[in-house]
Each structure stands twice: as C-alpha cells, then as structure tokens.
Amino acid sequence: MPRPRPSTALDHIRVLDLTRVRAGPTCCRVLADFGADVIKVEAPPGVDPNENMSGDRHGFDMQNLHRNKRSLTLNLKTEEGRAVFLKLVETADVVVENYRPDVKDRLGIGYEALKSVNPRIILASVSGFGQTGPYRTRAGFDQIAQGMGGLMAITGHAGQGPMRAGIAVADSAAGVYAATGILVALAEREKSGEGQWVQTSLLQAMIAMCDFQAAVYTVDGKVPPQNGNDHPHSTPMGVLPTADGYINVGVGGEGQWKSFCKAVGRDDLAAHPDYANAKQRFRNRPALMGLLGDLFRTEPTAHWLERLESEGVPAGPIYTMDEVFADPQVDHLGMAVPVRHHARGDIRLIAQPLVMSRTPPAIETPVAEPGEHSAEVLAEAGFSTHEIERLRAARIV
C-alpha cells in the first residue's frame, strides 16, 4: 500500500510519531499534511493501560488529529521493541514525543540514545512544563496550562471568577510551536549536518500566546484584568446585542470612529465630548456600550453588518459551529476537507490554515487502523518477512 502523499513539500522527511492526546499530534499533523512520512508508533492493543486516552479510534478527534499517517504497533517497554525502534531511527529525520520528561529516558529513547544511532536526528519533545526545572515531572493538561499561563485570569467577565477558553489553546499552540521548531532544525541541519533537540511545553506556549497581555506586565508592570467581551484597550471593540442575536464590532482609530457613527446614524456621537477621542471613549466605555447596546437592539444583525460594511467598519457575526461552515467565505477557503473513511463513510476534516502557491497541504487519508502499516514499515527498515512474523508472534509489534 503506497504511503499518503498529500504534498511534495516534506515528502523527503520521515517522522516517528510517539505522541497522543493533542499537543504532540497537532505538531505531527502539520508535518503529515505537508507530505512528511509520519509513522504513528503506538503500543499493540492490550499493552498500554491508557490506550484509550485519545478517545474512540473512529471518533472525530482521532480522525482530525491523526490523518495522513501510517501506523506501526510496537511495544517499547521490551528490549527488542526498543531495538526495533532504534533501527527505525537510523533512517528517520524526526522523532516527536510528548511523554513526561523522565519516561523517554526510562525507555532508553532519550535524545542521547537517539543521537548515538543517528547524529542527524531531530527530537521534538512537548511536555506540560518543560524538560528541566521543579515542575518537569508534573502531568500537564491544557486547562492547567491555561490557568498557570495567565489566560484564565484575563478571560471572562470581571468579578465572575476565572474562565477557561473554549478550545485547547495551550495544547494546540504547543503543537504548532513544536512544528515550527522542527522546521527550523531541519533548515539548520542543511548547513551543519547535525540534528538537535527541540523542546516546548504547554506552559511556555500558553505564556507566549498571551502575547501583549503578558508584555503589559513584563514591560509596564501592570497586571491585566478581565474585560469580558470588550477589548482591553480600545472601544467600541467588542460584542453588542442585536434584535436577533449578537454582533462583533471593531473600531480601531478616529477615522473608523467617525465612519462607525455615520454607519449607525449617530454622527452626533463623533463630536460628543465624552466620546470625541479614544481616551475619552475608553474612560466612558460603560456608558457608550450601554448606549450602543440600546441602539443595536432595534435591528437584526444582518442590518448592522450591511451598514457597517458600507462604511468600511470592521464587524462580523458571531457564529455557532454549523454557521461557521455554512459561511460562503469559509466554504471558499476550503476549511472542511472531504475524506472517505472505511467505517464512517464520507467525513470532513479541518484543513491547515495555510495557502501555498506551489506545495499546498492536503488531506489524503483518515486515521489508520492500529498496526495497519507495521509490515511495510518494518520491511522498509530491512526486516525480513520471517523476522516480522516472529515479532508479531512475540507481541513486539
């Protein structure tokens, strides 16, 4: 069976994927969608007590995270399984893992062990809190990182307690940062001929994603508060109620403020002393947003979108997920990619948010069955048919 080749961009790169849950699989998904030969290495059924941690094999999450990969089952807890893995490392370019930091060393597949068999290997490690330091062995999950990285303290309405984001921000960001690090390491290897160890963590990624909210503390010494749906520094920039729902509006400067006032039929507000400039509008935000809320409730969302767009004022609807994928612009961008699954039939998976003029990403195959490609991967590594059958019989693969 030929391996998936969704793109030519990375089809010269082989990746051994030891990851599960979300952060690590997100990293490997980026590489797979651009054509890397990603081999998902997982324990044979019944070996790993946490084998169902990632959910139903045919479920939406596994399908979306592990598409475009081949599957090899391998028991890394055995000496022979470790030897097989190191044999695969000899011809691999990248290994990605998201174990707790001590686990890979306990298994004998830490960076030094990999480097000893392939000096060009790039190991990417995604952990909860980092490979070193006082929290290195702690278990890390997305919501814990959201709390420790500062996001939950600035999310939600003031006085109503911390609020988690509705998506796995830390997990997804750590995965994308890990993929970025791998691509940097691959580019540098072209000059040096040597691999390296790429490390990131949910905690680091979460702090980096807080971006200007983190910098307002590190640069100015100010602790940012919760602002609900309002922008922390500009207004009106946030959510307003309409006659049939809600709308997002964004006014970023004095020219846009005047255009906004014209669009909503309140030119008088542009020169009102309480709202005449950004500083005054921010100081009087509660009164302004209350006034605008009363105004916007008089007409449906579509009316306000049309009026604001006519004056070039940034605005947008607030969609439920079904409405997201019904939007003509989303459809045009191709963010839902059709794939045929042997058990589920026709499904759609989420595209990479990138457009490439020559080597675009693509989705060719849904998640493979456990061990579906074990024989071919081992044969490519030089194992004979007899050796592969013996490994199967011993439950090594």
Side-chain angles (χ1 to χ4, degrees):
M1 180 188 300
R3 71 176 178 88
R5 292 182 183 273
S7 171
T8 59
L10 298 178
D11 64 2
H12 59 301
I13 301 299
R14 175 167 288 185
V15 180
L16 301 179
D17 175 7
L18 297 172
T19 70
R20 58 185 179 182
V21 188
R22 186 164 313 283
T26 297
C27 167
C28 294
R29 176 175 62 189
V30 173
L31 306 177
D33 287 0
F34 279 100
D37 180 17
V38 177
I39 300 169
K40 179 173 168 54
V41 182
E42 48 196 327
V47 170
D48 184 353
N50 296 314
E51 66 182 22
N52 294 321
M53 181 180 290
S54 297
D56 179 8
R57 186 78 177 197
H58 294 167
F60 65 90
D61 208 20
M62 286 287 286
Q63 296 301 321
N64 201 48
L65 282 170
H66 295 287
R67 75 272 188 116
N68 286 340
K69 302 177 184 180
R70 297 196 285 175
S71 173
L72 164 72
T73 50
L74 185 62
N75 188 351
L76 291 172
K77 294 181 180 179
T78 65
E79 189 62 33
E80 192 165 10
R82 174 181 174 275
V84 170
F85 181 76
L86 291 177
K87 178 69 174 175
L88 297 175
V89 169
E90 291 178 9
T91 55
D93 297 282
V94 180
V95 174
V96 186
E97 60 87 15
N98 61 348
Y99 301 127
R100 293 191 197 186
D102 57 320
V103 172
K104 59 183 167 295
D105 294 322
R106 197 162 64 240
L107 291 173
I109 55 172
Y111 178 60
E112 293 302 321
L114 304 185
K115 182 181 178 182
S116 69
V117 299
N118 182 358
R120 290 173 56 84
I121 198 71
I122 294 162
L123 172 63
S125 296
V126 185
S127 61
F129 303 98
Q131 297 295 309
T132 58
Y135 301 161
R136 66 183 295 269
T137 59
R138 286 188 184 181
F141 284 98
D142 178 85
Q143 186 161 337
I144 296 170
Q146 285 193 33
M148 292 181 67
L151 180 64
M152 290 177 66
I154 57 175
T155 303
H157 294 286
Q160 295 185 16
M163 177 68 68
R164 69 181 291 274
I167 60 171
V169 185
D171 272 339
S172 297
V176 173
Y177 281 124
T180 303
I182 289 169
L183 295 174
V184 170
L186 286 169
E188 192 279 336
R189 194 178 70 176
E190 293 298 307
K191 297 188 296 182
S192 68
E194 298 181 15
Q196 60 182 302
W197 188 5
V198 176
Q199 305 170 29
T200 191
S201 68
L202 273 61
L203 181 59
Q204 289 168 286
M206 189 69 267
I207 294 169
M209 287 297 287
C210 283
D211 197 36
F212 73 90
Q213 293 281 46
V216 75
Y217 171 72
T218 61
V219 176
D220 290 344
K222 298 178 180 178
V223 177
Q226 292 172 300
N227 286 290
N229 287 319
D230 292 320
H231 191 277
H233 306 301
S234 299
T235 199
M237 188 173 290
V239 176
L240 288 168
T242 67
D244 61 352
Y246 295 90
I247 187 173
N248 269 320
V249 298
V251 177
E254 298 311 317
Q256 283 188 357
W257 170 238
K258 292 176 182 177
S259 296
F260 175 85
C261 294
K262 180 181 179 182
V264 302
R266 289 296 306 269
D267 291 282
D268 59 301
L269 293 177
H272 193 289
D274 288 346
Y275 314 126
N277 57 56
K279 189 173 183 179
Q280 286 296 100
R281 290 194 297 278
F282 192 76
R283 178 180 293 126
N284 297 295
R285 178 160 66 185
L288 176 58
M289 294 300 282
L291 183 158
L292 294 176
D294 291 340
L295 174 61
F296 272 65
R297 284 189 185 94
T298 64
E299 298 287 351
T301 300
H303 168 85
W304 295 118
L305 287 173
E306 182 179 358
R307 292 296 307 132
L308 293 167
E309 184 176 351
S310 71
E311 296 297 333
V313 179
I318 299 174
Y319 285 151
T320 55
M321 202 57 71
D322 56 333
E323 293 171 322
V324 170
F325 290 98
D327 185 278
Q329 182 66 23
V330 175
D331 182 62
H332 170 78
L333 292 170
M335 286 304 297
V337 180
V339 177
R340 182 74 178 176
H341 186 268
H342 71 90
R344 300 200 57 167
D346 293 326
I347 58 176
R348 295 188 300 166
L349 302 177
I350 310 305
Q352 290 291 339
L354 288 164
V355 175
M356 307 283 285
S357 64
R358 289 193 302 104
T359 58
I363 302 173
E364 295 292 323
T365 59
V367 66
E369 293 301 310
E372 182 177 336
H373 305 95
S374 293
E376 67 183 58
V377 169
L378 293 174
E380 291 166 5
F383 290 87
S384 69
T385 301
H386 174 73
E387 289 172 318
I388 294 170
E389 288 305 314
R390 184 184 62 77
L391 290 169
R392 286 191 189 279
R395 297 192 69 196
I396 303 299
V397 301

